[in-house]
Amino acid sequence: MRRREFVQLAAGAAMTWPVAALAQQKAMPVIGYLNGTSPGPNAPFLAGFHQGLRDTGYVEGQNVAIEYRWAEGHYDRLPTLAADLVGRKVDVIAAVGGAREAEGAKTATSTIPIVFTTGGDPVEKGLVVSLARPGGNLTGVSILVGELWPKRLELISELVPQAKVIALLVNPTNPNSGRLIEDAQVGARAKGVQLLVLNASTESEIDAAFASLVQLHAGALLVSDPLFDSRREQVVALAARYAVPAIYILREYVAAGGLISYGSHIPAAYRQVGIYAGRILSGTKPGDLPVVQPATFELVINLKAAMARGLTVPQSILVRADEVIE
């Protein structure tokens, strides 16, 4: 059971929606939904987005239309897809998945409101001027992926204390992969383990990366990238085939048979995007909505997966877990 929810940075986020602005809205406003991956693996996140819209009184097909643009893993298409949404004069763009979606939308328009999700610092990325008062036409949710790598290293080392070599699976086509590696190295040094970087950006390269784990004597694996999230069934199956203990950033991997995850509850982040999109449609300026960050994070463990890998989950992890899948 989940006990943790997103909290907003400022009390100003609870402003009421202007009734006059509602009256001025078009009969059917349009939201542009921009994502670098594909619909299937994103179903639980998209459900969260729709829930957020419903929370603010908007239901797709009844009083709001949504134009979906999926890059299907071809992130170089994002600028073109964003420009297409701008050309269609959508009222709001939900640029979700990561910094590349947000940056693509930001480049495409300086006037249409944009609500983003990003795993990094949106101020450092130049998306907003501050978290509390973003200014401009962007706001959204910062999921804090990178900052949690030392904690993930700590957890997987606690679960697999004999692992002296830990691999990190990264997508080299992601411009943020360098920062991800740096963050993971910090955690590796703190735990006194060797970190090996495995690059993969296609289905065959993911297969090859897992096959190399045995020769590299890797005792555990870290996984992070939206590309892998969209192929999590393949990733989880390979981790089971090679009996490698792996830690992920999303609960959805563990629900699919993965071992352990630690990170933000992503459907809640997408729900917040939906809430912000609805509030903007109702007249609130995006620059007045503070960027939301998670206050706490969820730890999920799959006992069946642990048993299959011959692991005994320490009581210290079980008592901290927000969800135990048996």
Side-chain angles (χ1 to χ4, degrees), residues 8 34 67 80 85 179 183 194 220 225 227 277 289 303 307:
Q8 297 179 338
L34 181 67
E67 290 271 352
T80 300
L85 291 173
R179 177 61 182 271
D183 290 334
Q194 180 184 359
D225 194 87
L227 174 67
L289 295 171
L303 293 183
M307 185 179 300

Side-chain angles (χ1 to χ4, degrees), residues 114-137:
I114 298 166
V115 186
F116 59 78
T117 64
T118 180
D121 183 345
V123 177
E124 182 180 297
K125 288 289 182 183
L127 297 174
V128 297
V129 295
S130 78
L131 299 179
R133 300 288 294 181
N137 64 316

Side-chain angles (χ1 to χ4, degrees), residues 15-238:
M15 296 184 299
T16 57
W17 312 325
V19 176
L22 275 170
Q24 296 172 4
Q25 293 296 315
K26 296 183 292 186
M28 186 72 81
V30 180
I31 297 173
Y33 190 93
L34 181 67
N35 187 278
T37 60
S38 52
N42 281 273
F45 312 147
L46 188 56
F49 174 72
H50 284 146
Q51 181 59 56
L53 286 175
R54 286 193 294 272
D55 291 345
T56 54
Y58 289 94
V59 178
E60 183 180 13
Q62 294 185 15
N63 57 357
V64 68
I66 303 178
E67 290 271 352
Y68 296 95
R69 297 294 182 273
W70 303 92
E72 302 287 348
H74 300 282
Y75 294 99
D76 57 324
R77 298 177 183 172
L78 286 170
T80 300
L81 296 175
D84 180 56
L85 291 173
V86 172
R88 291 177 181 271
K89 295 181 169 52
V90 298
D91 298 276
V92 182
I93 296 176
V96 292
R100 285 170 291 182
E101 287 87 346
E103 290 163 356
K106 185 177 188 292
T107 300
T109 179
S110 60
T111 56
I112 296 175
I114 298 166
V115 186
F116 59 78
T117 64
T118 180
D121 183 345
V123 177
E124 182 180 297
K125 288 289 182 183
L127 297 174
V128 297
V129 295
S130 78
L131 299 179
R133 300 288 294 181
N137 64 316
L138 284 84
T139 189
V141 181
S142 177
I143 301 170
L144 302 178
V145 171
E147 290 85 343
L148 299 183
W149 280 117
K151 182 63 176 179
R152 294 189 188 101
L153 257 299
E154 177 186 323
L155 284 166
I156 199 66
S157 295
E158 190 174 347
L159 184 57
V160 194
Q162 69 273 22
K164 301 306 178 186
V165 178
I166 297 178
L168 172 66
L169 185 66
V170 301
N171 171 16
T173 67
N174 186 337
N176 299 315
S177 62
R179 177 61 182 271
L180 185 155
I181 293 169
E182 290 176 6
D183 290 334
Q185 286 284 13
V186 171
R189 285 192 292 269
K191 295 304 298 182
V193 299
Q194 180 184 359
L195 186 72
L196 295 177
V197 177
L198 301 179
N199 292 309
S201 59
T202 66
E203 182 176 344
S204 61
E205 288 176 351
I206 294 173
D207 286 337
F210 273 88
S212 71
L213 289 171
V214 176
Q215 291 132 348
L216 295 171
H217 305 290
L221 177 68
L222 313 172
V223 178
S224 174
D225 194 87
L227 174 67
F228 306 138
D229 300 344
S230 67
R231 295 174 179 168
R232 58 180 171 264
E233 297 289 345
Q234 176 194 7
V235 171
V236 167
L238 287 167

